[in-house]
Amino acid sequence: MSRDTTELSEQGWETTDLADIRAEWDLDQARDHLNHGSFGAVPRTVRRAQARWRELSDENPMNFYRELRPPGVRVARQAATRFLGAEPDSLALVANATTGVSTVLASFALRPGDEIVLTDHAYGAVTMAARRFATAAGARLMIAQVDLAASDEEVVSAITAVMTDRTRLLVVDHVTSATARLFPVHMIAQAARDRGVATLVDGAHAPGMLPVRVDTIGADFWVGNFHKWAFAARSVAGLWIAPAWQERIRPLVVSWNEEEKFPGAFDNQGTVDDSAWLALPDALDFFASRQPKRLREHNNALAAYGQQTVAAALGTDLTGVGGDPSLSMRLAPLPASVSDRQDGAHALSERIARELNAEVAITRWRDRGFVRLSAQLYNSADQYDRFAAGLAALLR
């Protein structure tokens, strides 16, 4: 598929600029990394910052835990709060979005007969967490079926259609993982609030990919990973809680800050390695230095190019698949012969890695198989060209 390299691949960046930026990552150059969305990729400067925190903890553990770590965590938390445009002391640091979801569910008072609503786009571990806590309380899950190409109004309608007078909590994605959909979380939260239902937004992919102002969404709870699109080390996420709920939500693990109010109670989790938290300000500085608006435009355009290129090579139709222009992840449908294989996603992902030297996410939703492609500054258009041609040959 032909392209204008300046328009598609560079998106306003000078070629030398991109070369310098790509050198910030120590990714294996023998393969194409087209799956930033799953685990992110940590720039060298952030890894160095994290390593320095680990060195400090090993050089003098007493001094580290007594003098260095507490203010370091507070500085990191404050940096995360500013990054998300939130009010001071409205956000705690947790390991990842799944931890944040489980934290809210563990503290949310459910009674027998109560209901939690999710959609059929929900992340698998989030659905499992909701099922565990609902079952323990004698509550039940309600799953809203949301079509892949549903309009914002149709998304809201599908979700509210399964709500009843027993619905207590709605868990909804900001950006869906398996289907790369941007949900209208402002509209959804308002509709839930009108019905007296609390909303927990799983924003795992939002920080960095989207310009988030978390306290304007209208949700009761929101959690997002910094180690995906904001260049942080793994694992660090922010758990935002509306003021009315802050006294009720407690950390999953009881530790020495237990008596403090939110968010300080979350700051001390014993001797866990929280060097990723401590290096978060370095990651957010790196993100800011990459000109966020320009970065997003580059990634979004490159993801769209990858989607179109792979779909064209496979001969699959993008009608109804979607692809929001503000997202750096896109779906390309797999041929029906591949989609029909119930256990084929993991096997295909392994085969792609082994035979094509490429890393992608293979997802399955409503018995359809997709390649989920991500785009980041270290990617280039020729990587999607190469992958598209290789995948088409592999699936013949």
Side-chain angles (χ1 to χ4, degrees), residues 149-167:
S151 67
D152 287 352
E153 292 75 15
E154 288 169 339
V155 172
V156 175
S157 179
I159 291 172
T160 56
V162 301
M163 289 183 175
T164 73
D165 59 0
R166 299 308 304 269
T167 303

Side-chain angles (χ1 to χ4, degrees), residues 94-154:
V94 292
N96 48 47
T98 306
T99 300
V101 169
S102 293
T103 298
V104 173
L105 289 168
S107 297
F108 199 90
L110 290 170
R111 297 177 179 177
D114 285 348
E115 297 168 353
I116 301 175
V117 170
L118 296 90
T119 78
D120 59 346
H121 297 254
Y123 188 61
V126 169
T127 300
M128 288 188 283
R131 183 175 292 114
R132 173 197 286 187
F133 288 102
T135 300
R140 62 175 181 162
L141 299 189
M142 306 292 288
I143 307 298
Q145 307 290 319
V146 179
D147 289 342
L148 192 57
S151 67
D152 287 352
E153 292 75 15
E154 288 169 339

Side-chain angles (χ1 to χ4, degrees), residues 20 220 254:
D20 290 343
D220 299 274
V254 177

Side-chain angles (χ1 to χ4, degrees), residues 372-384:
R372 193 195 70 190
L373 299 164
S374 299
Q376 190 47 267
L377 285 176
Y378 54 76
N379 294 127
S380 58
D382 65 291
Q383 293 179 318
Y384 301 92

Side-chain angles (χ1 to χ4, degrees), residues 83-282:
F83 186 80
L84 296 174
E87 291 296 318
D89 296 330
S90 63
L91 180 136
L93 295 180
V94 292
N96 48 47
T98 306
T99 300
V101 169
S102 293
T103 298
V104 173
L105 289 168
S107 297
F108 199 90
L110 290 170
R111 297 177 179 177
D114 285 348
E115 297 168 353
I116 301 175
V117 170
L118 296 90
T119 78
D120 59 346
H121 297 254
Y123 188 61
V126 169
T127 300
M128 288 188 283
R131 183 175 292 114
R132 173 197 286 187
F133 288 102
T135 300
R140 62 175 181 162
L141 299 189
M142 306 292 288
I143 307 298
Q145 307 290 319
V146 179
D147 289 342
L148 192 57
S151 67
D152 287 352
E153 292 75 15
E154 288 169 339
V155 172
V156 175
S157 179
I159 291 172
T160 56
V162 301
M163 289 183 175
T164 73
D165 59 0
R166 299 308 304 269
T167 303
R168 298 291 176 263
L169 179 66
L170 165 66
V171 183
V172 65
D173 295 88
H174 202 149
V175 177
T176 64
S177 180
T179 54
R181 267 292 315 252
L182 176 64
F183 276 171
V185 289
H186 299 78
M187 295 171 59
I188 294 168
Q190 179 63 57
R193 188 163 55 253
D194 291 345
R195 291 162 175 77
V197 175
T199 300
L200 165 57
V201 175
D202 175 6
H205 287 275
M209 188 196 293
L210 300 173
V212 177
R213 286 295 306 272
V214 67
D215 54 357
T216 67
I217 291 172
D220 299 274
F221 317 98
W222 181 98
V223 61
N225 292 321
F226 290 99
H227 58 258
K228 289 183 182 283
W229 298 94
F231 302 135
R234 307 173 197 92
S235 301
V236 53
L239 173 60
W240 179 89
I241 300 178
W245 293 92
Q246 290 175 4
E247 291 187 3
R248 290 184 259 181
I249 306 301
R250 308 302 297 169
L252 282 176
V253 177
V254 177
S255 196
W256 289 103
N257 284 23
E258 174 66 12
E259 299 304 319
E260 291 193 22
K261 296 180 179 179
F262 180 89
F266 287 74
D267 283 357
N268 185 346
Q269 293 292 290
T271 54
V272 297
D273 181 359
D274 48 18
S275 56
W277 293 14
L278 296 165
L280 179 59
D282 298 86

